[in-house]
Amino acid sequence: MKKLERLVLCIVLLSTLSAGASGLVSVSKGRLEAIWLSPMSVKIKNQTKTTRSFIQVKDFKLMAKAVTVKQFKEFLEKNSDWRKDKVSGLFTDANYLHGFENARDNSPVTNVSWFAARAYCKSQGLRLPTLNEWEYAAAASETLRDANKNELFLKRILEWYGEPQTEQIKEVGSIYKNLYGAYDMHGLIWEWVEDFNTTFVTGESREDSSFNKDMFCGAGSLASNDKENYAAFMRFAFRSSLKGKSSIWNLGFRCAQ
Amino acid sequence: MADQSSEVAVLTAPPHVPPPITRSKSVKLIVNLEVIEKKMKISDGVDYTFWTFGGTVPGSFIRIREGDDVEFHLKNHPSSKMPHNIDLHAVTGQGGGAAASFTSPGHESVFSFKAINPGLYVYHCATAPVGMHIANGMYGLILVEPKKGLSKVDREYYVMQGDFYTKGKFGVQGYQPFDMSKAIDEKPTYVVFNGSTNSLTGDNAIKAKVGETVRLFVGNGGPNLVSSFHVIGEIFDKVYREGAMEYNTNIQTTLIPAGGSAIVEYKVEVPSNLVLVDHSIFRTFNKGSLGIMKVEGPENKEIFTGKTADNIYLPEGGAIQKVNDKEKITTAASVEDQLKLGKTVFTNSCAACHQPDGKGIAGAFPPLANADYFNADAKRAIDIVKNGKSGKITVNGAPYNGVMPALGLSDEDIANVLTYVSNNWGNKKRTFTKTEVSAVPVAKENSGGEH
Amino acid sequence: MKKNIYLALLIIILTQLSQAASLTDIKSKWLTVDNKEQSVSSTVGQSYTLIAMVYTGCAHACPMTISKIQRILKDFEAQGFKNVNVILASFDVKNDRPAKLKKYQLERKLDVNKWNFLSAASDDDARELSVALGISYKDLGDGDFSHSNAITLLGPRAEILASIDNLNASSDKLIEALKAHTAKAKVQ
């Protein structure tokens, strides 16, 4: 218990002292239509109605920019367990930190596993954002809290999804800043979330709907794709292909609090 | 298993097919297939981001033998944005291997299967959203040769149809992204063989010599359309319907379902340009599903005299394509520009019938090269491109009796394409202006347009 | 050229990582049914272990997981492997506290010398173990969890030897891994 108290104190101190340095922005609580979930059937007074699915998030803080190569280098200096030559095989695969030495300091760190991303955030007194937190923050455009159905916003996202990553990854902060002050939520890299393994796309996507029905009660299953939600759908497909040790060239992270 | 020898499968890019399997024993066969997302031309001047198996659309042709134990390695290139997998219709097992091969970028999945059923099978990506992965070109063919092998032929080719959905209309220049709405509505912008309107035309035409027997492995990736596969100027001696190992004989057009295949064989008897089409014919002349097989060799007047036209299927009346002027990106500022833009219009709208070299197809499509009919009357030329033409005409002494639809080109496009034709292939040099084209009236039956 | 360098690098890294992934790297402390604090790997002891994640409020898949493990243990015994232990770690951090897990174990008559229930100190720790074992789960908020099922075989040093991710799968894969590992151990 004592340990926990100290940790809490530490986090409080960190947040007050280095809010600027670690670059956190506030995201205020609210709810977001989960367009990636199919409408739920709800029984109200013996009548079955379908309602849209929503997610709720509490106030939280999010790093304005993805963790950079430079920041991760500093982390490795203090935490040698996470260096490529020392790291546990449980936590990383062979791609871990591939190309790291030659990456630009101000580019986001990529080829990091979920375990490594998490360890970094912990070292800063932070954590990875939850999937809902990330989707909630990422739904915002420069001016709208929920731009998930905005055609121009979707177009930008899909352009990045449709473009193979053949060039060097751009620097953090170079794409756009949303109304919470978070940069590049789309268009720079994919990002890890704490509970990425809550997505039940098995890779055999045609099997998933029945899989959901058999194993789970009442959970909104991933919706069949229409033109408004298929960008989100692709994000979920991407996450479901990941394992905790996966390291991918265009997958990085940012921390939350 | 233990005493089985192991081999690495030879894969080929379309339209080529790996050589027939000559070994008489089953082996452990290693197949290495790499997923690459890349920008390529879907038509002249039109770029599209394809998701590919092996860097081509359709993906690499895989040839294995009944009884082989296949060890399949699916590699997803590090530059990929998406995870991918593969469902091989030749596989007996969960999802055809889809879940077992689900692979994130920069990773590789390995799974094994035994080839139990001989036949020609489609493979495709089955990652969500499945339709989109297929619409971006993620399909190909795998042949499981029966133990006794296939009959010997002189040439084998690989042709696969697919429908594509782009934001801009057919022929609109520049980079065109995928359009989910059109895909859901099943309204393709392009329907093509081997991933591009030009993959089997001009220099890319496939070839055969008179007297040879040709085998086509034909697939249809979809995602939506069913193909009425037909070769203009030939009758299929044998069709292995839906890729089965029994055949029917003397077939004109064979139906190939989305996610299905057929093997067709025919002996080419006379020299000609055979035209591969989807006989749902608007797709062929307006959306790109057209390929050429050039057959060279001595003529045989007993089989084909050259006097009467082959049966040509053309839509009657006007095929009106309204072109939205707002989507036009380029305007010609000089005659050089006109020639350049005119060439693109020609390739997209004219070359399918009149051929890339303007020589036409004897008996069916009149020549534009060194053509007396074309050079004689500029106004008539404008009128034909604008309003279409049907009925008997004589070009360079030969009679033609066909139908050319109104192409729905803008006046500027018409001026450019006519300038291009006039300045090539020995025609009377001349430039056409937009004003000149506008002066020729639009025929009544074409002016109604869409309401 | 570039590709070759990439490949060479990959091979070097692969050989460096060739030591089997072991749960000893997971440092989090869990609680036994008797409220004893210990790590997952120290629960493994010296023998082979089957590990799975469950929650006791589960009506459907979790009882099936337990009966599947019992069947695997029988298959193991038929092959001469008798001393295989079981760890069942709960991802229902809020409800599955040690006392509740103890009651569940007694009700199910699961031998306390063989079956080890573990309760996580935090959601964080449960999530970490689930990712390490390749299990997906989601708290549905109403006391239920949606989750995938994986049963993993661990070696005496908590190294991951093999796993099945389908309750209908046969025990063959696990038996093969068990045999391969004992054969290797004898050679050494």
Side-chain angles (χ1 to χ4, degrees):
Chain A
M1 270 298 119
K2 232 177 188 170
K3 219 164 106 193
L4 196 72
E5 274 165 30
R6 244 183 309 170
L7 190 73
V8 170
L9 191 74
C10 194
I11 291 169
V12 172
L13 274 173
L14 259 172
S15 63
T16 48
L17 290 177
S18 61
S22 57
L24 294 169
V25 296
S26 295
V27 182
S28 50
K29 67 180 176 199
R31 64 174 205 164
L32 174 75
E33 185 182 351
I35 55 167
W36 57 90
L37 296 178
S38 56
M40 286 198 297
S41 300
V42 186
K43 263 198 174 165
I44 304 166
K45 291 176 190 167
N46 292 330
Q47 274 193 323
T48 308
K49 282 185 178 170
T50 51
T51 61
R52 292 176 298 169
S53 300
F54 288 87
I55 55 165
Q56 301 269 0
V57 303
K58 297 182 178 138
D59 289 334
F60 68 101
K61 286 190 171 132
L62 193 62
M63 287 174 73
K65 295 172 184 171
V67 172
T68 63
V69 168
K70 183 161 179 252
Q71 288 170 317
F72 204 78
K73 272 183 187 159
E74 288 161 8
F75 165 74
L76 290 181
E77 272 164 28
K78 290 179 202 143
N79 301 274
S80 59
D81 281 1
W82 289 96
R83 281 188 358 215
K84 203 157 36 178
D85 52 347
K86 284 196 175 173
V87 74
S88 155
L90 183 68
F91 296 152
T92 55
D93 66 19
N95 282 352
Y96 179 61
L97 294 183
H98 178 69
F100 182 68
E101 296 80 8
N102 304 322
R104 289 181 296 201
D105 273 356
N106 212 24
S107 287
V109 62
T110 59
N111 274 329
V112 280
S113 68
W114 177 82
F115 291 104
R118 228 166 165 246
Y120 176 91
C121 292
K122 276 203 174 148
S123 78
Q124 308 293 311
L126 303 171
R127 59 178 174 82
L128 283 176
T130 65
L131 189 151
N132 283 353
E133 286 172 342
W134 194 94
E135 286 289 337
Y136 180 81
S141 68
E142 288 89 336
T143 50
L144 296 168
R145 276 173 78 100
D146 180 1
N148 271 343
K149 289 186 177 176
N150 181 283
E151 238 172 79
L152 278 174
F153 187 69
L154 274 178
K155 189 169 161 257
R156 272 199 318 219
I157 296 175
L158 289 168
E159 261 165 27
W160 186 74
Y161 289 179
E163 183 91 357
Q165 187 79 53
T166 51
E167 285 166 20
Q168 222 183 353
I169 294 169
K170 293 194 179 101
E171 300 200 338
V172 298
S174 61
I175 311 296
Y176 72 102
K177 180 182 177 180
N178 73 12
L179 62 74
Y180 301 113
Y183 288 86
D184 322 323
M185 294 300 286
H186 299 288
L188 183 68
I189 46 168
W190 297 105
E191 295 185 13
W192 280 112
V193 294
E194 166 73 7
D195 48 348
F196 72 96
N197 64 337
T198 53
T199 310
F200 295 92
V201 179
T202 59
E204 169 52 295
S205 59
R206 303 152 297 180
E207 171 197 319
D208 290 327
S209 48
S210 60
F211 178 60
N212 274 331
K213 236 179 274 163
D214 286 350
M215 303 305 268
F216 321 122
C217 334
S221 57
L222 280 182
S224 62
N225 37 310
D226 62 36
K227 71 183 168 65
E228 277 169 347
N229 67 10
Y230 81 101
F233 204 71
M234 286 159 84
R235 224 150 42 234
F236 280 80
F238 179 83
R239 287 182 192 126
S240 70
S241 79
L242 301 174
K243 296 183 181 73
K245 59 163 82 171
S246 298
S247 299
I248 295 174
W249 184 26
N250 47 39
L251 172 61
F253 69 101
R254 71 181 77 207
C255 310
Q257 184 183 45
Chain B
M1 280 291 280
D3 58 339
Q4 217 181 26
S5 54
S6 114
E7 267 182 33
V8 176
V10 178
L11 305 184
T12 56
H16 302 292
V17 178
I21 295 172
T22 51
R23 59 186 154 80
S24 55
K25 272 190 194 157
S26 299
V27 295
K28 180 181 167 188
L29 193 64
I30 296 160
V31 176
N32 292 301
L33 193 58
E34 188 182 31
V35 174
I36 305 166
E37 299 171 358
K38 65 194 279 201
K39 235 180 232 181
M40 293 190 286
K41 296 232 175 304
I42 193 168
S43 186
D44 255 356
V46 187
D47 288 322
Y48 187 76
T49 302
F50 292 91
W51 296 349
T52 74
F53 285 110
T56 56
V57 176
S60 308
F61 196 101
I62 307 168
R63 191 166 196 155
I64 63 178
R65 185 177 175 272
E66 180 186 358
D68 283 348
D69 289 296
V70 180
E71 185 182 288
F72 206 99
H73 296 245
L74 189 73
K75 300 162 190 189
N76 192 357
H77 196 271
S79 67
S80 293
K81 283 282 169 61
M82 292 295 148
H84 297 287
N85 63 6
I86 192 166
D87 167 356
L88 297 126
H89 292 177
V91 169
T92 310
Q94 179 63 56
S101 62
F102 195 30
T103 311
S104 40
H107 290 77
E108 172 183 346
S109 296
V110 184
F111 68 101
S112 296
F113 67 92
K114 194 175 193 73
I116 304 172
N117 305 70
L120 179 64
Y121 299 95
V122 167
Y123 65 79
H124 64 89
C125 183
T127 299
V130 182
M132 181 183 182
H133 282 253
I134 294 175
N136 282 346
M138 298 199 78
Y139 45 76
L141 290 178
I142 175 168
L143 173 68
V144 183
E145 271 202 56
K147 282 185 175 159
K148 60 180 182 356
L150 294 174
S151 60
K152 204 184 161 309
V153 293
D154 300 298
R155 286 176 195 267
E156 293 182 328
Y157 288 110
Y158 172 21
V159 177
M160 199 157 180
Q161 184 173 323
D163 26 307
F164 290 87
Y165 303 82
T166 63
K167 277 269 183 300
K169 287 182 182 178
F170 181 87
V172 174
Q173 301 288 288
Y175 178 73
Q176 291 298 331
F178 170 71
D179 188 321
M180 182 59 107
S181 302
K182 286 182 187 171
I184 292 171
D185 293 344
E186 305 191 14
K187 287 184 174 158
T189 328
Y190 293 87
V191 181
V192 296
F193 293 129
N194 292 0
S196 157
T197 58
N198 306 321
S199 62
L200 295 173
T201 58
D203 291 343
N204 300 324
I206 46 180
K207 293 185 174 75
K209 290 202 177 87
V210 167
E212 288 182 331
T213 302
V214 178
R215 175 181 292 138
L216 302 181
F217 296 102
V218 192
N220 183 8
N224 290 321
L225 301 187
V226 168
S227 173
S228 305
F229 187 71
H230 177 80
V231 174
I232 299 177
E234 260 301 343
I235 295 152
F236 304 138
D237 299 331
K238 294 180 186 173
V239 173
Y240 297 78
R241 281 201 168 148
E242 292 168 10
M245 284 294 114
E246 292 76 37
Y247 60 81
N248 292 33
T249 55
N250 300 333
I251 306 283
Q252 56 185 318
T253 301
T254 190
L255 205 61
I256 307 179
S261 68
I263 304 170
V264 305
E265 292 174 14
Y266 49 87
K267 189 177 177 194
V268 286
E269 314 272 4
V270 293
S272 66
N273 277 350
L274 301 176
V275 189
L276 284 59
V277 300
D278 178 346
H279 217 298
S280 299
I281 211 74
F282 273 101
R283 299 173 191 169
T284 295
F285 292 102
N286 299 68
K287 291 182 177 177
S289 58
L290 183 142
I292 301 287
M293 174 179 268
K294 231 180 198 144
V295 181
E296 287 168 341
E299 291 196 20
N300 184 342
K301 297 279 184 196
E302 270 186 31
I303 291 172
F304 188 69
T305 62
K307 189 175 172 187
T308 49
D310 196 347
N311 290 330
I312 294 301
Y313 294 80
L314 266 180
E316 289 174 17
I320 304 155
Q321 280 190 313
K322 290 275 178 227
V323 174
N324 186 347
D325 283 327
K326 269 181 273 179
E327 285 173 355
K328 284 281 155 215
I329 300 163
T330 40
T331 307
S334 65
V335 178
E336 282 78 48
D337 281 359
Q338 267 199 304
L339 288 173
K340 226 164 88 189
L341 293 169
K343 185 177 181 184
T344 304
V345 176
F346 186 84
T347 313
N348 284 336
S349 301
C350 316
C353 298
H354 294 291
Q355 301 300 296
D357 57 9
K359 285 183 182 154
I361 291 179
F365 306 120
L368 297 172
N370 202 3
D372 54 3
Y373 186 83
F374 175 79
N375 288 319
D377 187 340
K379 241 187 205 153
R380 182 174 65 187
I382 295 171
D383 180 58
I384 290 174
V385 178
K386 208 170 200 176
N387 297 314
K389 174 83 188 163
S390 62
K392 228 178 200 166
I393 60 169
T394 304
V395 183
N396 294 350
Y400 291 87
N401 191 358
V403 179
M404 169 167 155
L407 294 164
L409 297 172
S410 69
D411 288 349
E412 189 178 345
D413 277 347
I414 293 174
N416 292 343
V417 76
L418 287 171
T419 305
Y420 171 75
V421 172
S422 300
N423 286 280
N424 276 293
W425 315 314
N427 284 330
K428 198 162 82 185
K429 285 202 187 330
R430 184 185 192 295
T431 51
F432 288 78
T433 64
K434 191 182 163 189
T435 329
E436 212 176 334
V437 174
S438 300
V440 175
V442 177
K444 254 194 192 142
E445 64 266 33
N446 292 337
S447 60
E450 299 162 325
H451 290 284
Chain C
M1 207 42 207
K2 213 169 163 188
K3 209 170 169 185
N4 283 342
I5 293 167
Y6 181 73
L7 264 174
L9 237 147
L10 215 103
I11 289 161
I12 292 166
I13 297 166
L14 270 173
T15 44
Q16 280 174 345
L17 292 178
S18 60
Q19 71 266 35
S22 165
L23 294 187
T24 46
D25 292 316
I26 290 191
K27 308 284 188 210
S28 57
K29 295 282 187 234
W30 295 58
L31 291 171
T32 67
V33 291
D34 297 318
N35 255 318
K36 259 202 323 210
E37 216 179 56
Q38 62 188 43
S39 68
V40 175
S41 56
S42 65
T43 313
V44 167
Q46 298 300 312
S47 69
Y48 292 101
T49 305
L50 289 169
I51 183 167
M53 291 185 82
V54 294
Y55 71 108
T56 61
C58 176
H60 184 49
C62 306
M64 276 167 65
T65 304
I66 290 172
S67 65
K68 176 70 188 175
I69 290 174
Q70 287 169 325
R71 221 171 314 139
I72 295 170
L73 290 176
K74 259 189 204 142
D75 293 341
F76 281 0
E77 275 173 32
Q79 299 283 331
F81 299 103
K82 289 199 173 126
N83 295 320
V84 178
N85 291 330
V86 180
I87 297 175
L88 293 175
S90 172
F91 37 65
D92 188 354
V93 178
K94 203 167 64 196
N95 296 310
D96 280 345
R97 301 318 303 160
K100 190 174 176 202
L101 292 176
K102 187 166 194 170
K103 189 165 162 256
Y104 186 85
Q105 180 161 21
L106 290 173
E107 276 170 14
R108 298 261 153 185
K109 299 191 178 71
L110 298 168
D111 180 1
V112 289
N113 294 315
K114 199 173 197 54
W115 294 72
N116 302 279
F117 279 85
L118 290 180
S119 179
S122 68
D123 284 328
D124 213 53
D125 295 342
R127 183 64 65 187
E128 184 182 44
L129 183 63
S130 79
V131 172
L133 294 174
I135 294 169
S136 302
Y137 77 90
K138 184 178 185 177
D139 185 351
L140 300 176
D142 53 0
D144 263 324
F145 287 77
S146 61
H147 62 97
S148 64
N149 295 292
I151 299 171
T152 302
L153 176 67
L154 302 176
R157 282 190 287 266
E159 65 270 40
I160 294 174
L161 299 180
S163 70
I164 53 171
D165 54 9
N166 180 342
L167 294 181
N168 297 318
S170 83
S171 312
D172 293 356
K173 191 177 166 192
L174 300 175
I175 290 171
E176 264 173 45
L178 202 51
K179 282 183 178 166
H181 189 266
T182 46
K184 215 168 105 191
K186 266 177 203 153
V187 171
Q188 286 169 346

